[in-house]
Amino acid sequence: MTCILHLDSSPRGDRSLSRGLTSEFNRTWQQTYPEDKIIYRDLGHNPVPFVDESWIAAAFSQAGQLTPELKSAIEISDRLIDEFLAAKICVFGIPMYNYGVPANFKAYIDQIVRVGRTFAVTSSGYEGLVKEPKKILVITTRGGSYKDSPLDFQEPYLRAVFELIGIADLTFIHAENLAMGDEARQKSLAEARTAIQQFIEIC
């Protein structure tokens, strides 16, 4: 049985195009692999906390030095990291906001990219601590076209941050031109659905 972690970051409900695409992934995956387990987290409607001073103090303390207050400060981080590490495939639905990821997804990244848990600082530099093979599928929705654009701060950032913790197997499906009229929107969504199907077929 494969464990899949599915995150949505759009604050929209039924009107969200990124949610529609990730839901399509779920339906198709469960039809293909009904025995697999999908864990769902809705960052858009239930965001995780931002990193604060107590979190930083706890993250940089030895386990034996953690007070009850510091343990509480990183309890959510521990839970999110355990959940992330348990998944063999992660599916992230991420709309583009101001050329980047939504604040709620950045908050999630800050919770799981943690020194001593998912990466280490060594004499030779950073070392990713995520050793088990893991695939990440990122489905983005964008109003315009950002292929090879210097204004795309989504894909380069996500590749860099996940490579930091040891994950290089990332697939991006960009549903673009969604604000450029109905014909362009429908064409892009159809291409995204085809790419989702192809991803599932090769897993």
Side-chain angles (χ1 to χ4, degrees):
M1 182 183 72
T2 298
C3 180
I4 296 170
L5 175 61
H6 166 203
L7 303 183
D8 280 323
S9 58
S10 172
R12 288 181 169 184
D14 293 339
R15 295 186 301 122
S16 168
L17 296 176
S18 62
R19 286 178 184 270
L21 291 172
T22 57
S23 293
E24 186 152 338
F25 171 91
N26 278 353
R27 287 193 299 271
T28 305
W29 187 275
Q30 290 184 315
Q31 289 170 1
T32 309
Y33 306 105
E35 72 282 3
D36 288 351
K37 177 182 180 181
I38 297 179
I39 298 171
Y40 180 61
R41 187 170 288 276
D42 188 342
L43 301 176
H45 294 154
N46 301 288
V48 299
F50 291 117
V51 165
D52 59 16
E53 185 174 2
S54 296
W55 188 102
I56 295 171
F60 286 89
S61 297
Q62 297 296 322
Q65 299 173 337
L66 291 175
T67 65
E69 292 76 15
L70 292 181
K71 287 181 180 179
S72 177
I74 55 170
E75 180 183 3
I76 292 176
S77 175
D78 284 333
R79 192 185 324 146
L80 292 172
I81 290 171
D82 290 343
E83 183 179 81
F84 175 76
L85 294 177
K88 296 298 183 183
I89 299 174
C90 299
V91 181
F92 300 145
I94 308 176
M96 176 179 272
Y97 286 175
N98 301 318
Y99 307 126
V101 301
N104 58 47
F105 196 82
K106 178 59 167 60
Y108 174 79
I109 291 294
D110 291 342
Q111 291 284 355
I112 67 167
V113 178
R114 193 173 115 201
V115 66
R117 286 298 313 270
T118 52
F119 77 96
V121 183
T122 71
S123 58
S124 56
Y126 295 113
E127 177 189 353
L129 298 179
V130 181
K131 305 298 185 181
E132 292 294 322
K134 189 183 302 289
K135 292 180 180 289
I136 294 181
L137 172 63
V138 180
I139 301 173
T140 73
T141 48
R142 304 166 166 195
S145 177
Y146 297 90
K147 180 177 174 58
D148 301 322
S149 170
L151 296 177
D152 178 4
F153 296 105
Q154 284 186 317
E155 182 171 341
Y157 164 69
L158 292 172
R159 285 194 184 277
V161 78
F162 283 114
E163 286 176 7
L164 168 67
I165 64 175
I167 303 171
D169 191 351
L170 285 85
T171 299
F172 286 82
I173 297 174
H174 300 300
E176 299 199 307
N177 293 316
L178 299 179
M180 301 300 165
D182 186 65
E183 183 178 351
R185 180 170 59 254
Q186 294 306 322
K187 179 177 182 293
S188 184
L189 291 173
E191 290 172 349
R193 294 187 187 102
T194 298
I196 289 170
Q197 182 64 49
Q198 291 171 344
F199 177 87
I200 292 173
E201 289 173 356
I202 65 175
C203 282

